Protein backbone atom coordinates (compact mmCIF):
# COMPACT_ATOMS: atom_id res chain seq x y z
CA UNK A 1 0.00 0.00 0.00
CA UNK A 2 1.24 3.43 -0.95
CA UNK A 3 1.19 6.19 1.63
CA UNK A 4 0.85 9.87 0.89
CA UNK A 5 3.72 12.25 1.54
CA UNK A 6 2.11 13.70 4.67
CA UNK A 7 1.45 10.23 6.08
CA UNK A 8 4.97 9.04 5.33
CA UNK A 9 6.55 12.12 6.90
CA UNK A 10 4.44 11.78 10.05
CA UNK A 11 5.66 8.21 10.41
CA UNK A 12 9.26 9.28 9.70
CA UNK A 13 8.87 11.88 12.46
CA UNK A 14 7.53 9.34 14.95
CA UNK A 15 10.69 7.30 14.51
CA UNK A 16 13.08 10.19 14.85
CA UNK A 17 13.67 11.46 11.33
CA UNK A 18 13.63 15.28 11.37
CA UNK A 19 10.69 16.62 9.36
CA UNK A 20 9.16 20.08 8.82
CA UNK A 21 7.13 21.04 11.90
CA UNK A 22 3.66 22.57 12.01
CA UNK A 23 2.29 21.54 8.63
CA UNK A 24 -1.09 19.98 7.97
CA UNK A 25 -3.33 18.83 5.13
CA UNK A 26 -6.15 20.85 3.61
CA UNK A 27 -9.01 19.92 1.32
CA UNK A 28 -10.18 23.49 0.67
CA UNK A 29 -8.46 26.84 0.00
CA UNK A 30 -9.97 28.14 3.29
CA UNK A 31 -8.29 25.37 5.26
CA UNK A 32 -5.05 26.06 3.41
CA UNK A 33 -5.35 29.73 4.38
CA UNK A 34 -5.85 28.85 8.06
CA UNK A 35 -2.90 26.45 8.16
CA UNK A 36 -0.61 28.92 6.38
CA UNK A 37 -1.67 31.68 8.82
CA UNK A 38 -0.88 29.43 11.75
CA UNK A 39 2.56 28.52 10.36
CA UNK A 40 3.37 32.11 9.40
CA UNK A 41 5.92 33.26 6.83
CA UNK A 42 6.62 31.32 3.67
CA UNK A 43 4.85 28.01 3.22
CA UNK A 44 4.86 25.35 0.54
CA UNK A 45 1.61 23.99 -0.89
CA UNK A 46 1.97 20.40 -2.08
CA UNK A 47 -0.39 18.12 -3.97
CA UNK A 48 -0.94 14.80 -2.19
CA UNK A 49 -1.12 12.18 -4.91
CA UNK A 50 0.55 8.79 -5.20
CA UNK A 51 3.01 9.84 -7.87
CA UNK A 52 6.44 11.46 -8.02
CA UNK A 53 7.40 14.49 -10.08
CA UNK A 54 4.68 16.68 -8.61
CA UNK A 55 7.03 19.64 -8.57
CA UNK A 56 7.54 19.58 -12.34
CA UNK A 57 3.80 19.09 -12.88
CA UNK A 58 2.99 22.29 -10.98
CA UNK A 59 1.84 20.50 -7.83
CA UNK A 60 4.40 22.07 -5.47
CA UNK A 61 4.21 25.87 -5.00
CA UNK A 62 5.71 28.33 -2.54
CA UNK A 63 3.40 30.90 -0.95
CA UNK A 64 4.46 34.03 0.92
CA UNK A 65 1.13 34.79 2.57
CA UNK A 66 -1.99 32.90 3.67
CA UNK A 67 -3.85 34.49 0.73
CA UNK A 68 -1.29 33.18 -1.73
CA UNK A 69 -1.42 29.74 -0.06
CA UNK A 70 -5.20 29.72 -0.56
CA UNK A 71 -4.75 30.70 -4.22
CA UNK A 72 -2.23 27.92 -4.82
CA UNK A 73 -4.46 25.44 -2.98
CA UNK A 74 -7.38 26.48 -5.19
CA UNK A 75 -5.25 25.87 -8.28
CA UNK A 76 -3.77 22.58 -7.11
CA UNK A 77 -6.90 20.98 -5.60
CA UNK A 78 -8.72 19.20 -8.40
CA UNK A 79 -5.64 19.34 -10.62
CA UNK A 80 -4.84 16.27 -12.68
CA UNK A 81 -1.29 15.00 -12.15
CA UNK A 82 -0.39 12.12 -14.45
CA UNK A 83 -3.98 10.87 -14.39
CA UNK A 84 -4.53 11.31 -10.64
CA UNK A 85 -6.88 13.95 -9.25
CA UNK A 86 -5.63 15.99 -6.29
CA UNK A 87 -8.04 15.89 -3.34
CA UNK A 88 -5.67 17.06 -0.61
CA UNK A 89 -2.79 19.49 -0.29
CA UNK A 90 -0.12 19.55 2.38
CA UNK A 91 0.82 22.97 3.72
CA UNK A 92 4.30 22.85 5.23
CA UNK A 93 6.63 25.60 6.41
CA UNK A 94 8.91 26.74 3.60
CA UNK A 95 12.21 24.94 3.73
CA UNK A 96 15.64 26.47 4.09
CA UNK A 97 17.46 24.48 1.43
CA UNK A 98 21.27 24.50 1.27
CA UNK A 99 21.61 21.12 -0.32
CA UNK A 100 19.28 18.39 -1.58
CA UNK A 101 20.19 14.75 -0.97
CA UNK A 102 18.52 11.48 -1.78
CA UNK A 103 18.06 8.79 0.86
CA UNK A 104 15.97 5.64 0.73
CA UNK A 105 15.62 2.24 2.33
CA UNK A 106 14.13 -0.50 0.29
CA UNK A 107 14.15 -4.24 -0.19
CA UNK A 108 16.67 -5.59 -2.67
CA UNK A 109 14.83 -8.69 -3.83
CA UNK A 110 17.84 -10.17 -5.56
CA UNK A 111 20.05 -9.88 -2.49
CA UNK A 112 17.10 -10.64 -0.21
CA UNK A 113 18.16 -7.83 2.05
CA UNK A 114 17.11 -4.32 2.92
CA UNK A 115 19.37 -1.71 1.43
CA UNK A 116 20.24 1.91 1.84
CA UNK A 117 20.31 3.90 -1.36
CA UNK A 118 21.74 7.39 -1.14
CA UNK A 119 22.96 10.12 -3.42
CA UNK A 120 24.33 13.63 -3.30
CA UNK A 121 21.98 14.37 -6.21
CA UNK A 122 18.70 14.79 -4.37
CA UNK A 123 15.50 16.43 -5.54
CA UNK A 124 15.83 14.88 -8.97
CA UNK A 125 14.39 11.80 -10.54
CA UNK A 126 16.59 9.09 -9.04
CA UNK A 127 16.12 6.81 -12.06
CA UNK A 128 17.71 9.54 -14.19
CA UNK A 129 20.63 9.86 -11.76
CA UNK A 130 21.09 6.07 -11.80
CA UNK A 131 21.09 6.12 -15.59
CA UNK A 132 23.29 9.16 -16.26
CA UNK A 133 25.67 9.14 -13.29
CA UNK A 134 25.52 5.73 -11.60
CA UNK A 135 28.70 6.53 -9.66
CA UNK A 136 26.71 9.10 -7.72
CA UNK A 137 24.50 6.45 -6.19
CA UNK A 138 25.65 4.67 -3.05
CA UNK A 139 24.15 1.32 -2.11
CA UNK A 140 24.73 -0.48 1.16
CA UNK A 141 22.97 -3.69 2.14
CA UNK A 142 21.83 -4.24 5.69
CA UNK A 143 21.94 -7.68 7.24
CA UNK A 144 18.47 -8.05 8.72
CA UNK A 145 19.82 -10.18 11.59
CA UNK A 146 22.38 -7.57 12.58
CA UNK A 147 20.58 -4.39 11.68
CA UNK A 148 21.96 -1.01 10.72
CA UNK A 149 25.57 -0.42 11.80
CA UNK A 150 27.29 2.88 12.57
CA UNK A 151 30.09 2.17 10.11
CA UNK A 152 27.50 1.90 7.36
CA UNK A 153 26.19 5.33 8.26
CA UNK A 154 29.67 6.79 8.23
CA UNK A 155 30.42 5.18 4.87
CA UNK A 156 27.27 6.52 3.24
CA UNK A 157 27.74 10.00 4.74
CA UNK A 158 31.28 10.23 3.41
CA UNK A 159 30.41 8.79 0.00
CA UNK A 160 27.67 11.36 -0.57
CA UNK A 161 30.16 14.08 0.29
CA UNK A 162 28.89 15.29 3.65
CA UNK A 163 31.46 17.16 5.77
CA UNK A 164 32.38 15.41 9.02
CA UNK A 165 30.46 17.93 11.09
CA UNK A 166 27.23 16.60 9.54
CA UNK A 167 27.85 12.88 9.98
CA UNK A 168 26.25 12.72 13.42
CA UNK A 169 23.10 14.39 12.17
CA UNK A 170 23.01 12.12 9.16
CA UNK A 171 23.38 9.07 11.40
CA UNK A 172 20.27 10.20 13.35
CA UNK A 173 18.31 10.44 10.12
CA UNK A 174 19.49 7.02 9.00
CA UNK A 175 18.69 5.39 12.36
CA UNK A 176 15.23 6.94 12.37
CA UNK A 177 14.57 5.76 8.85
CA UNK A 178 15.74 2.24 9.65
CA UNK A 179 13.50 2.10 12.72
CA UNK A 180 10.58 3.34 10.67
CA UNK A 181 11.31 0.89 7.86
CA UNK A 182 11.45 -2.15 10.13
CA UNK A 183 8.68 -1.20 12.57
CA UNK A 184 6.15 -0.51 9.82
CA UNK A 185 7.08 -3.51 7.64
CA UNK A 186 7.78 -1.09 4.82
CA UNK A 187 9.14 -2.22 1.50
CA UNK A 188 10.20 1.31 0.66
CA UNK A 189 10.90 4.48 2.62
CA UNK A 190 12.19 7.28 0.43
CA UNK A 191 13.24 10.83 1.22
CA UNK A 192 13.77 12.92 -1.89
CA UNK A 193 14.99 15.43 -1.09
CA UNK A 194 16.55 15.12 2.33
CA UNK A 195 17.77 18.66 2.75
CA UNK A 196 20.71 20.16 4.60
CA UNK A 197 19.67 23.50 6.11
CA UNK A 198 21.91 26.52 6.62
CA UNK A 199 22.74 25.48 10.19
CA UNK A 200 23.88 22.08 8.90
CA UNK A 201 20.83 20.21 10.23
CA UNK A 202 18.71 17.83 8.16
CA UNK A 203 15.06 17.76 7.25
CA UNK A 204 13.02 15.28 5.23
CA UNK A 205 10.91 17.61 3.11
CA UNK A 206 9.46 14.93 0.84
CA UNK A 207 8.48 11.40 1.79
CA UNK A 208 7.30 8.31 0.06
CA UNK A 209 6.44 5.04 1.72
CA UNK A 210 5.14 1.70 0.56
CA UNK A 211 4.13 -0.74 3.29
CA UNK A 212 3.87 -4.47 2.74
CA UNK A 213 0.25 -5.45 2.04
CA UNK A 214 0.91 -8.85 3.60
CA UNK A 215 1.48 -7.20 6.97
CA UNK A 216 -1.63 -5.04 6.94
CA UNK A 217 -4.35 -7.27 8.35
CA UNK A 218 -2.49 -8.92 11.20
CA UNK A 219 0.47 -6.72 12.02
CA UNK A 220 -0.72 -3.23 11.16
CA UNK A 221 -4.49 -2.94 11.33
CA UNK A 222 -3.89 0.71 12.28
CA UNK A 223 -2.69 1.46 8.73
CA UNK A 224 -6.14 0.75 7.34
CA UNK A 225 -6.97 4.37 8.20
CA UNK A 226 -4.14 5.52 5.96
CA UNK A 227 -5.61 3.88 2.89
CA UNK A 228 -6.72 6.35 0.27
CA UNK A 229 -10.07 4.98 -0.94
CA UNK A 230 -9.58 6.92 -4.17
CA UNK A 231 -6.57 4.78 -4.93
CA UNK A 232 -8.66 1.66 -5.53
CA UNK A 233 -11.22 1.20 -8.29
CA UNK A 234 -14.72 0.04 -7.27
CA UNK A 235 -13.81 -3.45 -8.36
CA UNK A 236 -10.56 -3.47 -6.40
CA UNK A 237 -12.50 -2.42 -3.29
CA UNK A 238 -14.98 -5.26 -3.78
CA UNK A 239 -12.10 -7.68 -4.28
CA UNK A 240 -10.42 -6.57 -1.06
CA UNK A 241 -13.71 -7.16 0.79
CA UNK A 242 -14.19 -10.59 -0.80
CA UNK A 243 -10.59 -11.56 -0.06
CA UNK A 244 -9.74 -12.41 -3.68
CA UNK A 245 -6.68 -11.30 -5.59
CA UNK A 246 -7.87 -9.11 -8.42
CA UNK A 247 -5.94 -6.97 -10.86
CA UNK A 248 -7.79 -5.15 -13.59
CA UNK A 249 -6.27 -5.27 -17.07
CA UNK A 250 -7.14 -3.84 -20.46
CA UNK A 251 -8.60 -6.80 -22.36
CA UNK A 252 -12.17 -8.08 -22.74
CA UNK A 253 -11.99 -11.66 -21.46
CA UNK A 254 -12.78 -11.93 -17.77
CA UNK A 255 -10.93 -14.71 -15.96
CA UNK A 256 -11.84 -16.51 -12.78
CA UNK A 257 -9.17 -18.94 -11.69
CA UNK A 258 -8.02 -20.57 -8.48
CA UNK A 259 -4.34 -20.14 -7.77
CA UNK A 260 -1.98 -17.39 -8.91
CA UNK A 261 0.13 -19.66 -11.11
CA UNK A 262 -2.90 -21.09 -12.86
CA UNK A 263 -4.29 -17.58 -13.29
CA UNK A 264 -1.08 -16.47 -15.01
CA UNK A 265 -1.09 -19.55 -17.21
CA UNK A 266 -4.73 -19.01 -18.13
CA UNK A 267 -3.96 -15.44 -19.16
CA UNK A 268 -1.00 -16.60 -21.24
CA UNK A 269 -3.11 -19.20 -23.05
CA UNK A 270 -5.83 -16.64 -23.76
CA UNK A 271 -3.16 -14.44 -25.34
CA UNK A 272 -1.73 -17.38 -27.24
CA UNK A 273 -5.08 -17.76 -29.00
CA UNK A 274 -5.28 -14.07 -29.81
CA UNK A 275 -7.38 -12.85 -26.91
CA UNK A 276 -6.72 -10.27 -24.21
CA UNK A 277 -7.50 -10.92 -20.53
CA UNK A 278 -9.60 -8.28 -18.77
CA UNK A 279 -8.22 -9.18 -15.38
CA UNK A 280 -6.17 -11.41 -13.19
CA UNK A 281 -8.39 -12.99 -10.57
CA UNK A 282 -7.34 -15.65 -8.12
CA UNK A 283 -10.19 -16.86 -5.92
CA UNK A 284 -7.70 -18.79 -3.82
CA UNK A 285 -7.81 -22.33 -2.52
CA UNK A 286 -10.90 -23.90 -1.00
CA UNK A 287 -13.15 -21.19 -2.41
CA UNK A 288 -16.78 -21.46 -1.41
CA UNK A 289 -19.91 -20.69 -3.39
CA UNK A 290 -20.12 -17.21 -1.89
CA UNK A 291 -16.63 -16.31 -3.06
CA UNK A 292 -17.51 -17.45 -6.56
CA UNK A 293 -20.56 -15.18 -6.56
CA UNK A 294 -18.50 -12.22 -5.38
CA UNK A 295 -15.78 -12.93 -7.91
CA UNK A 296 -18.28 -13.07 -10.79
CA UNK A 297 -19.82 -9.80 -9.65
CA UNK A 298 -16.39 -8.21 -9.71
CA UNK A 299 -15.57 -9.54 -13.17
CA UNK A 300 -18.91 -8.47 -14.61
CA UNK A 301 -18.56 -5.09 -12.91
CA UNK A 302 -15.96 -4.31 -15.56
CA UNK A 303 -17.92 -3.01 -18.58
CA UNK A 304 -15.13 -4.09 -20.96
CA UNK A 305 -15.77 -7.78 -20.29
CA UNK A 306 -17.31 -9.53 -23.31
CA UNK A 307 -16.72 -13.15 -22.31
CA UNK A 308 -15.70 -14.93 -19.13
CA UNK A 309 -13.45 -17.92 -18.79
CA UNK A 310 -13.63 -19.90 -15.57
CA UNK A 311 -10.72 -22.24 -15.08
CA UNK A 312 -10.71 -24.25 -11.87
CA UNK A 313 -8.26 -26.91 -10.88
CA UNK A 314 -9.74 -28.69 -7.91
CA UNK A 315 -7.28 -29.55 -5.19
CA UNK A 316 -8.55 -28.34 -1.86
CA UNK A 317 -11.14 -26.48 -3.90
CA UNK A 318 -13.95 -28.84 -4.87
CA UNK A 319 -15.22 -28.47 -8.41
CA UNK A 320 -18.80 -29.28 -7.45
CA UNK A 321 -18.70 -26.50 -4.86
CA UNK A 322 -17.50 -24.07 -7.55
CA UNK A 323 -20.18 -25.30 -9.96
CA UNK A 324 -22.84 -24.82 -7.30
CA UNK A 325 -21.47 -21.35 -6.59
CA UNK A 326 -21.58 -20.53 -10.27
CA UNK A 327 -25.17 -21.70 -10.65
CA UNK A 328 -26.20 -19.82 -7.53
CA UNK A 329 -24.46 -16.70 -8.76
CA UNK A 330 -26.23 -16.90 -12.11
CA UNK A 331 -29.55 -16.77 -10.25
CA UNK A 332 -28.64 -13.32 -8.96
CA UNK A 333 -26.74 -11.91 -11.90
CA UNK A 334 -28.39 -10.41 -14.97
CA UNK A 335 -25.92 -10.57 -17.83
CA UNK A 336 -25.65 -11.24 -21.54
CA UNK A 337 -21.96 -12.01 -21.23
CA UNK A 338 -21.22 -15.59 -22.34
CA UNK A 339 -19.25 -17.97 -20.15
CA UNK A 340 -17.00 -20.92 -20.71
CA UNK A 341 -16.21 -23.14 -17.75
CA UNK A 342 -13.47 -25.66 -17.36
CA UNK A 343 -13.34 -27.81 -14.25
CA UNK A 344 -10.62 -30.35 -13.53
CA UNK A 345 -9.50 -32.20 -10.43
CA UNK A 346 -11.34 -32.93 -7.19
CA UNK A 347 -15.01 -33.67 -7.86
CA UNK A 348 -14.74 -32.49 -11.48
CA UNK A 349 -17.18 -35.14 -12.68
CA UNK A 350 -19.82 -34.02 -10.17
CA UNK A 351 -19.13 -30.40 -11.02
CA UNK A 352 -19.46 -30.92 -14.76
CA UNK A 353 -22.71 -32.86 -14.28
CA UNK A 354 -24.15 -29.86 -12.43
CA UNK A 355 -23.05 -27.47 -15.19
CA UNK A 356 -24.40 -29.68 -17.98
CA UNK A 357 -27.85 -28.93 -16.63
CA UNK A 358 -27.34 -25.20 -17.29
CA UNK A 359 -28.81 -24.09 -20.62
CA UNK A 360 -26.43 -22.69 -23.22
CA UNK A 361 -23.33 -22.81 -21.03
CA UNK A 362 -20.09 -23.59 -22.82
CA UNK A 363 -17.82 -26.04 -21.04
CA UNK A 364 -14.37 -27.28 -21.89
CA UNK A 365 -12.18 -30.17 -20.87
CA UNK A 366 -8.74 -28.71 -21.53
CA UNK A 367 -7.38 -25.25 -20.86
CA UNK A 368 -6.62 -24.77 -24.57
CA UNK A 369 -10.19 -25.59 -25.48
CA UNK A 370 -11.52 -23.23 -22.83
CA UNK A 371 -9.27 -20.38 -23.98
CA UNK A 372 -10.13 -20.91 -27.64
CA UNK A 373 -13.84 -20.87 -26.85
CA UNK A 374 -13.47 -17.76 -24.68
CA UNK A 375 -11.58 -15.93 -27.43
CA UNK A 376 -14.27 -16.90 -29.98
CA UNK A 377 -17.06 -15.82 -27.62
CA UNK A 378 -15.38 -12.48 -26.96
CA UNK A 379 -15.20 -11.93 -30.73
CA UNK A 380 -18.96 -12.44 -30.84
CA UNK A 381 -19.03 -16.00 -32.11
P1 LIG B 1 8.13 15.85 -6.04
O1 LIG B 1 8.35 16.73 -7.22
O2 LIG B 1 6.82 15.12 -6.17
O3 LIG B 1 9.25 14.94 -5.76
O4 LIG B 1 7.93 16.83 -4.76
P2 LIG B 1 9.02 17.40 -3.71
O5 LIG B 1 8.36 17.52 -2.42
O6 LIG B 1 10.25 16.59 -3.73
O7 LIG B 1 9.30 18.85 -4.25
C1 LIG B 1 10.00 19.07 -5.46
C2 LIG B 1 11.06 20.12 -5.29
O8 LIG B 1 10.46 21.33 -4.84
C3 LIG B 1 12.09 19.80 -4.22
O9 LIG B 1 13.14 19.03 -4.72
C4 LIG B 1 12.57 21.17 -3.82
O10 LIG B 1 13.58 21.59 -4.71
C5 LIG B 1 11.35 22.03 -4.04
N1 LIG B 1 10.73 22.33 -2.73
C6 LIG B 1 9.89 21.53 -2.03
N2 LIG B 1 9.55 22.12 -0.85
C7 LIG B 1 10.19 23.30 -0.84
C8 LIG B 1 10.25 24.39 0.09
O11 LIG B 1 9.65 24.39 1.15
N3 LIG B 1 11.05 25.45 -0.26
C9 LIG B 1 11.72 25.50 -1.43
N4 LIG B 1 12.47 26.56 -1.70
N5 LIG B 1 11.68 24.51 -2.32
C10 LIG B 1 10.94 23.44 -2.04
MN1 LIG C 1 10.47 14.53 -4.25
Amino acid sequence: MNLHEYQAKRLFGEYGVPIPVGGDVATTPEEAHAIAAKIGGTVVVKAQVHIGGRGKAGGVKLAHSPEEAAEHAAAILGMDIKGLTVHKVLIDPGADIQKELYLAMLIDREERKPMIMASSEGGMDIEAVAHDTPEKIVIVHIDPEIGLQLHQGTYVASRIGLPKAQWKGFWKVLQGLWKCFTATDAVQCEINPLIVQSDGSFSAIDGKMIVDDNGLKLRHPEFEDLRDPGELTENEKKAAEAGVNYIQLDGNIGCMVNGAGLAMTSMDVIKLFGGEPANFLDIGGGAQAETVTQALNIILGDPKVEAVMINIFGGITRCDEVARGFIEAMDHIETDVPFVVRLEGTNAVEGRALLDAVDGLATAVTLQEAAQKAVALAKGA
Side-chain angles (χ1 to χ4, degrees), residues 5 46 52-55 60 100 122-124 190-193 205-208:
E5 174 195 2
K46 310 180 76 176
R54 295 162 302 162
V60 177
E100 300 193 30
M124 306 201 259
E190 185 189 76
I191 309 175
N192 188 22
I205 67 164
D206 187 14
K208 174 180 171 166

Side-chain angles (χ1 to χ4, degrees), residues 316-353:
I316 303 169
T317 308
R318 291 166 37 203
C319 292
D320 58 329
E321 178 81 22
V322 173
R324 226 169 269 122
F326 176 74
I327 292 165
E328 196 184 304
M330 293 329 278
D331 281 345
H332 303 292
I333 296 172
E334 285 269 331
T335 182
D336 301 330
V337 175
F339 289 81
V340 52
V341 187
R342 179 215 175 205
L343 301 175
E344 188 54 273
T346 308
N347 292 5
V349 175
E350 290 85 341
R352 281 189 215 127

Side-chain angles (χ1 to χ4, degrees), residues 5 9 42-44 46-47 51-57 60 62 92-97 100 122-124 192-193 195 205-207:
E5 174 195 2
K9 289 202 295 201
T42 302
V43 297
V44 61
K46 310 180 76 176
I51 193 99
R54 295 162 302 162
K56 273 189 203 140
V60 177
L62 286 177
D92 252 354
D96 152 29
I97 305 179
E100 300 193 30
M124 306 201 259
N192 188 22
I195 58 162
I205 67 164
D206 187 14

